[in-house]
Amino acid sequence: MSLQRRFAIVTGASTGIGLELARCCAKDGFDLLIAADEDRIHQAAAELRATGADVEAAQVDLSTMDGVDRLYAATEARPVDALLANAGRGLGHAFLDQDFAKARSVIDTNITGTAYLIHKIGNDMRRRKSGRILITGSIAGFVPGSFQAVYSASKAFLNSFSFAIREELKDSGVSVTCLMPGATNTEFFRRADMLDTSVGTIGKDDPCYVARIGFDAMMSGEGDVVSGWKNKLQSRVAHVVPAGVLASQHRKWAEPGTAKD
């Protein structure tokens, strides 16, 4: 990899928002290390190389400490200018009906793996007094997500976590930005087994649009950004409506069998 160009890591970059974030980085002159736990990460790397960027792919399981360590080792000690921590899992259905191994994978990927990676890369950035971190949270983190309980709670963690470490890193030269999208047109709902739900079948935001908003906010050093005016309205409503009411409303969106015709 060229030492003259900036270097970014993008996780969850095989499809969806992560792949679009990687495209934003490539177009802006970053070399890339992209990661996901599926073979398609190598196809994504080939597509991104066509932009002229130097791209390496790491097929690793970021729900594990070993997977994070392997991704970190793949940097080969090259300074990371931007970390876009986008890897995440979703899971639908009522909590007690879920396979707990899958529920734990959501927690391990969205929370533990993300926090561990940020701890490792963030320490390097702080020592250099330079770097940008983008965390993909969600407006789901503002709502008690009935029939998405573990996922929504994991995003509440990430939303809160990003604001907290942003304050801790104030004046350090390291910025932290939280991208909080709403329902986006990706494979999320299929993978989360939510295609029979209302939220799984309604119109969704374009992942290219969402990624561009997040990338621009990161490069500007903003603290957070909610993509789309409807999502901004929902996030504001969530701050004033009682949690019990929000949970009841969410059931209408996420309970199996509520899919719109």
Side-chain angles (χ1 to χ4, degrees), residues 156-173:
F157 173 91
L158 291 177
N159 292 352
S160 174
F161 178 70
S162 67
F163 281 106
I165 63 172
R166 177 180 173 83
E167 176 63 25
E168 292 173 1
L169 290 169
K170 185 172 62 175
D171 303 323
S172 71

Side-chain angles (χ1 to χ4, degrees), residues 5-257:
R5 289 165 60 94
R6 294 169 297 170
F7 181 43
I9 294 175
V10 185
T11 65
S14 57
T15 61
I17 295 172
L19 177 55
E20 296 300 335
L21 285 170
R23 287 193 175 112
C24 290
C25 289
K27 290 176 182 177
D28 204 57
F30 284 88
D31 286 336
L32 287 161
L33 172 59
I34 60 173
D37 63 356
E38 59 183 356
D39 289 343
R40 275 189 290 181
I41 194 65
H42 301 291
Q43 179 182 338
E47 293 174 7
L48 291 164
R49 290 186 191 111
T51 67
D54 195 342
V55 184
E56 298 294 336
Q59 187 176 345
V60 292
D61 183 356
L62 296 177
S63 70
T64 68
M65 304 286 272
D66 177 68
V68 174
D69 286 337
R70 287 174 56 202
L71 176 59
Y72 184 75
T75 68
E76 299 180 345
R78 182 175 177 179
V80 177
D81 298 291
L83 170 61
L84 294 84
N86 171 76
R89 294 186 184 277
L91 191 62
H93 295 274
F95 173 64
L96 295 183
D97 295 332
Q98 292 170 347
D99 178 337
F100 189 74
K102 292 182 179 180
R104 178 173 176 175
S105 183
V106 172
I107 296 168
D108 289 343
T109 303
N110 297 7
I111 297 177
T112 308
T114 299
Y116 182 42
L117 179 60
I118 291 171
H119 191 269
K120 293 178 77 70
I121 300 295
N123 266 295
D124 292 341
M125 289 178 169
R126 185 174 62 173
R127 280 190 287 270
R128 298 195 320 271
K129 299 181 180 180
S130 177
R132 301 181 185 278
I133 298 171
L134 177 69
I135 300 171
T136 301
S138 174
I139 64 166
F142 297 129
V143 178
S146 47
F147 297 91
Q148 271 187 295
V150 174
Y151 170 76
S152 294
S154 73
K155 290 300 184 176
F157 173 91
L158 291 177
N159 292 352
S160 174
F161 178 70
S162 67
F163 281 106
I165 63 172
R166 177 180 173 83
E167 176 63 25
E168 292 173 1
L169 290 169
K170 185 172 62 175
D171 303 323
S172 71
V174 181
S175 65
V176 180
T177 303
C178 187
L179 169 62
M180 293 178 282
T184 305
N185 189 20
T186 69
E187 296 190 14
F188 173 89
F189 294 97
R190 179 186 63 80
R191 291 173 173 173
D193 192 20
M194 295 184 67
L195 294 181
D196 63 344
T197 67
S198 178
V199 70
T201 54
I202 61 171
K204 300 174 181 64
D205 292 332
D206 182 347
C208 181
Y209 162 78
V210 172
R212 173 51 64 180
I213 286 176
F215 179 81
D216 289 347
M218 178 189 74
M219 296 304 293
S220 299
E222 296 177 35
D224 66 293
V225 59
V226 177
S227 60
W229 69 268
K230 290 183 180 179
N231 298 325
K232 290 177 182 178
L233 178 60
Q234 289 179 25
S235 68
R236 291 171 183 167
V237 168
H239 285 96
V240 297
V241 176
V245 174
L246 292 172
S248 178
Q249 290 176 341
H250 199 274
R251 170 190 284 269
K252 300 174 184 177
W253 289 99
E255 185 174 13

